[in-house]
Amino acid sequence: MALSGLRVLELAGLAPAPLCGMILADFGARVVRVDRAPRSAVAADAQGRGKRSLALDLKRPAGAAALRRLCRGADVLVEPFRHGVMEKLGLGPEVLLQENPRLIYARLTGFGQSGKYAKSAGHDINYLALSGVLSKLGRKDENPYAPVNLLADFAGGGVMCAMGIIIALYERTKSGKGQIVDASMVEGAAYLSSFLWKSQNLGLWNRPRGENLLDSGAPFYETYKTSDGKYMAVGAIEPQFYEQLVKGLGLDSNKLPSQLSFSDWPKMKKMFASIFAQKTQTEWCSIFDSTDACVTPVLSFDDAASHQHNKQRGSFIKNDQEEISPRPAPLLSRTPAVPSFKRDPFIGEHTEEILLEYGFTKQEIAKLHSDKVIEFSKPKANL
Ligand SMILES: C[C@H](CCC[C@H](C)C(=O)SCCNC(=O)CCNC(=O)[C@H](O)C(C)(C)COP(=O)(O)OP(=O)(O)OC[C@H]1O[C@@H](n2cnc3c(N)ncnc32)[C@H](O)[C@@H]1OP(=O)(O)O)[C@H]1CC[C@H]2[C@@H]3[C@H](O)C[C@@H]4C[C@H](O)CC[C@]4(C)[C@H]3C[C@H](O)[C@]12C
């Protein structure tokens, strides 16, 4: 796999860093999740695929020293705490990069390593708000609306951080040097929205929220309820595709207002809604499936995993616990990701094997264990 041989240490965090670690693991990196000791009852990481777990108390000097030693043998460290936490533990980048100048030290935070909010708590919705993006999301006359925690936590956070790590690793092949990746989710979400910023002069966003082309203003970029209580998604932007939408709905475009007549959009939406409400989702699929009308069913997770197109591509996978999840993307032709099919690790499940692998002796491990700096856990104990 593309990242095989890469050694990654991921300090356990909430949602974004676990995705970052999972991406690296899916593409072949050996990812160790450093969990807290004493451990909490359950792991908060639902994205532990392909990782191993080491439970280590970083607040104890011997625990911090152990992490320093692990970092000497690692390529990448991912840390998910607000600015200052790692420094307080004596594990800041100036220490770890001095000991291992090749280390990529990735800091995945909400607000970044500097600025007024650097030390403040926050979550996805706060980062999205500060990026400017949240102000664009939501329907007309409604409050701004954050689409789950996908945009800042995962797209602007976990994925952007993984990209920063890969870029830094590529650079390291030339310079031989590691560096700090300061991945702020505010900036990640903002960067992700570059199109919104840079297309403002095109007149795409001149109208209030929920009245523009792509923000639920247009009748041809909307979801519509079907007679069986499901939904269809319509994205017929270009005139030639819009024409096919109109035809599929049984309408005559000569008798309709022009596609871009903003003032007619609310009326057009009502008309489209009443037509979509007359047939089931399956019936609409059979009308639109083989056209370029850009009309697709809105699928539940279950339906997405069993949809013919997704099945043909193998877009979803099942692990040995029968859990279904998306297959890693994108697909690389020669060295595709090969995700683990095993269950996620229990906290501390691999503590001993990881320490041995990183050069700790059995005696050192026994001492750390008796001093309660590390924890082992047998799978059964966590059930
Ligand atoms: C998915 C749910 C989570 C919701 C996500 C939410 C919407 C987000 O936006 S996540 C993004 C949060 N922001 C960041 O990550 C940015 C950077 N981080 C921060 O800003 C902060 O960390 C913080 C604000 C998020 C939290 O602040 P906090 O004060 O708690 O932490 P820090 O200041 O960073 O300091 C950390 C302290 O901890 C010490 N530490 C760290 N490691 C160690 C160690 N190894 N040993 C010792 N000590 C350690 C460190 O020294 C710091 O100490 P000090 O404070 O003294 O300095 C999920 C939420 C709940 C999940 C569910 C739940 O867990 C139950 C199930 C579990 C199961 O496994 C899976 C399903 C669950 C239902 C699970 C599902 C989901 O994961 C959740 C719902």
Side-chain angles (χ1 to χ4, degrees):
M1 275 189 283
L3 300 182
S4 63
L6 191 73
R7 290 172 125 194
V8 178
L9 300 169
E10 171 203 319
L11 303 189
L14 270 185
L19 175 67
C20 178
M22 190 179 84
I23 293 170
L24 300 175
D26 282 343
F27 283 88
R30 284 178 76 74
V31 179
V32 170
R33 188 181 70 208
V34 180
D35 282 301
R36 289 178 197 221
R39 67 193 154 102
S40 51
V42 283
D45 182 5
Q47 302 166 99
R49 183 168 65 209
K51 303 175 191 172
R52 292 179 297 159
S53 165
L54 159 76
L56 179 62
D57 186 349
L58 294 176
K59 290 231 166 118
R60 308 276 298 280
L67 190 81
R68 284 171 61 166
R69 194 162 153 193
L70 289 164
C71 285
R72 290 203 284 274
D75 296 289
V76 177
L77 172 72
V78 183
E79 68 96 354
F81 311 124
R82 42 184 146 173
H83 175 70
V85 168
M86 290 296 275
E87 283 77 0
K88 216 160 58 180
L89 294 167
L91 296 168
E94 66 294 337
V95 176
L96 298 186
L97 278 165
Q98 196 184 358
E99 293 179 354
N100 175 5
R102 286 176 57 79
L103 185 70
I104 311 296
Y105 191 121
R107 318 197 76 174
L108 178 46
T109 63
F111 300 110
Q113 298 302 318
S114 54
K116 175 177 168 165
Y117 290 159
K119 293 196 172 178
S120 304
H123 290 103
D124 170 274
I125 195 166
N126 309 114
Y127 314 142
L128 203 55
L130 209 68
S131 72
V133 176
L134 188 53
S135 73
K136 299 281 181 204
L137 307 179
R139 291 188 173 272
K140 180 173 157 59
D141 297 331
E142 290 182 9
N143 291 1
Y145 171 77
V148 207
N149 60 330
L150 283 172
L151 284 183
D153 273 2
F154 296 120
V159 174
M160 214 57 99
C161 185
M163 186 178 81
I165 290 168
I166 303 298
I167 293 169
L169 282 167
Y170 178 68
E171 194 282 337
R172 193 181 74 173
T173 62
K174 296 179 275 182
S175 67
K177 291 184 189 151
Q179 57 183 310
I180 302 162
V181 177
D182 176 0
S184 138
M185 292 186 246
V186 173
E187 289 165 6
Y191 188 36
L192 203 66
S193 74
S194 296
F195 168 74
L196 305 190
W197 288 82
K198 293 169 78 66
S199 65
Q200 288 186 98
N201 295 339
L202 301 180
L204 285 179
W205 313 109
N206 289 350
R207 302 162 65 81
R209 183 175 57 246
E211 294 183 30
N212 298 282
L213 186 76
L214 302 178
D215 68 354
S216 78
F220 49 84
Y221 207 86
E222 205 12 317
T223 55
Y224 292 100
K225 199 167 185 171
T226 56
S227 64
D228 52 348
K230 298 184 177 179
Y231 295 88
M232 297 298 287
V234 174
I237 301 172
E238 295 84 344
Q240 68 276 26
F241 303 149
Y242 179 72
E243 186 57 40
Q244 296 200 36
L245 164 69
V246 167
K247 194 169 149 211
L249 291 175
L251 297 167
D252 178 352
S253 55
N254 295 320
K255 296 186 182 149
L256 295 175
S258 90
Q259 184 187 0
L260 292 182
S261 171
F262 295 101
S263 58
D264 288 305
W265 280 1
K267 190 176 69 192
M268 297 284 292
K269 269 195 183 192
K270 281 195 185 135
M271 187 196 301
F272 287 6
S274 75
I275 297 175
F276 271 108
Q278 291 164 17
K279 293 189 198 313
T280 63
Q281 189 186 62
T282 309
E283 286 169 332
W284 284 119
C285 287
S286 63
I287 290 172
F288 285 115
D289 259 4
S290 51
T291 73
D292 272 347
C294 308
V295 179
T296 45
V298 177
L299 300 177
S300 65
F301 275 17
D302 281 348
D303 290 345
S306 59
H307 186 277
Q308 192 188 11
H309 173 81
N310 294 334
K311 281 192 110 164
Q312 284 166 346
R313 282 183 57 81
S315 307
F316 294 87
I317 53 175
K318 203 183 258 187
N319 71 6
D320 60 11
Q321 314 283 294
E322 299 291 296
E323 245 177 31
I324 297 177
S325 62
R327 185 193 56 200
L331 269 184
L332 303 190
S333 65
R334 279 189 304 101
T335 58
V338 182
S340 165
F341 285 86
K342 294 192 196 135
R343 59 159 174 74
D344 290 2
F346 295 126
I347 292 180
E349 186 177 346
H350 309 97
T351 299
E352 190 175 12
E353 77 173 51
I354 292 164
L355 291 174
L356 286 169
E357 199 176 293
Y358 275 77
F360 288 73
T361 64
K362 288 221 166 201
Q363 290 74 8
E364 287 172 321
I365 295 170
K367 172 95 170 82
L368 287 170
H369 190 233
S370 68
D371 289 347
K372 296 192 168 27
V373 173
I374 56 172
E375 281 186 4
F376 305 142
S377 111
K378 294 271 172 286
K380 258 176 134 183
N382 260 10
L383 290 172

